[in-house]
């Protein structure tokens, strides 16, 4: 596959993990077939996620972190962030990536205060972890059926300054 873009992140989604999601260094999200009659075929291209108004802080657009796939429901999401630590989720399919909402911080104000640099899904569930420039690793456990109602389960790894 030649994405014709610098690939910053790579993820796999779909029940048989036969769809690759690439996120370019410019925030372009592309979906690629890994099987079927045309392996390597471009299935979808979503290039407007960074400009989502809910992720914008001042004149800074958001950025795309990566994909999450819930095997139980067969639903894929794209996680995106704002420079102030806010996280948003987009419902992802071949036709569109539609904004689902911001991931709320916990009652104690848990969550990130700066740019989130990494995202890791925990198993086949909708739980995920994020790591950011603020030195925190946050674990997110969705409440209810909608991933957009996620709340941080814990925050750890705060970096100490010498």
């Amino acid at each position: 596959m030649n994405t014709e873009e610098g690939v910053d992140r790579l993820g796999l989604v779909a029940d048989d993990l036969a769809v690759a999601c690439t996120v370019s260094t410019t925030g372009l999200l592309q979906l690629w077939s890994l099987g079927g009659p045309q392996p390597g075929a471009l299935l979808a291209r979503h290039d407007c996620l960074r400009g989502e108004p809910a992720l914008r802080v001042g004149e800074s657009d958001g950025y795309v972190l990566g994909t999450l796939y819930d095997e139980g429901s067969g639903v894929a999401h794209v996680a995106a962030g704002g420079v102030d630590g806010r996280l948003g989720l987009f419902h992802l399919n071949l036709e569109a990536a539609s904004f689902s909402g911001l991931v709320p911080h916990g009652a104690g104000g848990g969550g990130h205060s700066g740019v989130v640099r990494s995202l890791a899904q925990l198993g086949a569930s909708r739980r995920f972890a994020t790591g950011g420039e603020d030195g925190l690793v946050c674990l997110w456990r969705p409440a209810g059926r909608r991933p957009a109602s996620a709340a941080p389960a814990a925050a750890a790894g705060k970096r100490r300054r010498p």
Side-chain angles (χ1 to χ4, degrees):
M1 295 182 315
N2 182 357
T3 68
E4 298 180 5
E5 296 274 339
V7 177
D8 185 44
R9 301 181 194 270
L10 175 66
L12 300 173
V13 298
D15 287 333
D16 53 3
L17 300 179
V19 175
C21 298
T22 58
V23 179
S24 76
T25 55
T26 61
L28 171 67
L29 176 75
Q30 297 181 91
L31 305 177
W32 302 88
S33 172
L34 294 179
Q38 294 183 328
L42 178 64
L43 301 173
R45 180 182 173 106
H46 306 294
D47 60 359
C48 58
L49 305 180
R50 295 180 56 215
E52 167 58 43
L55 298 173
R56 189 170 292 134
V57 177
E59 299 206 12
S60 296
D61 280 344
Y63 52 90
V64 180
L65 278 165
T67 55
L68 300 166
Y69 181 69
D70 178 13
E71 286 184 22
S73 66
V75 175
H77 284 88
V78 177
V83 296
D84 61 355
R86 70 183 74 186
L87 293 173
L89 293 176
F90 292 81
H91 179 249
L92 177 64
N93 58 47
L94 296 180
E95 291 78 37
S98 54
F99 188 65
S100 299
L102 293 174
V103 178
H105 290 254
H112 294 284
S113 61
V115 173
V116 176
R117 292 288 180 189
S118 59
L119 168 79
Q121 186 164 351
L122 304 174
S125 71
R126 293 180 297 142
R127 295 180 310 137
F128 60 98
T130 53
E133 288 185 359
D134 55 9
L136 295 177
V137 170
C138 297
L139 304 176
W140 302 88
R141 179 179 41 228
R145 293 290 301 157
R146 295 192 57 193
S149 62
K158 192 169 199 171
R159 195 173 25 206
R160 295 181 188 237
R161 309 239 187 254

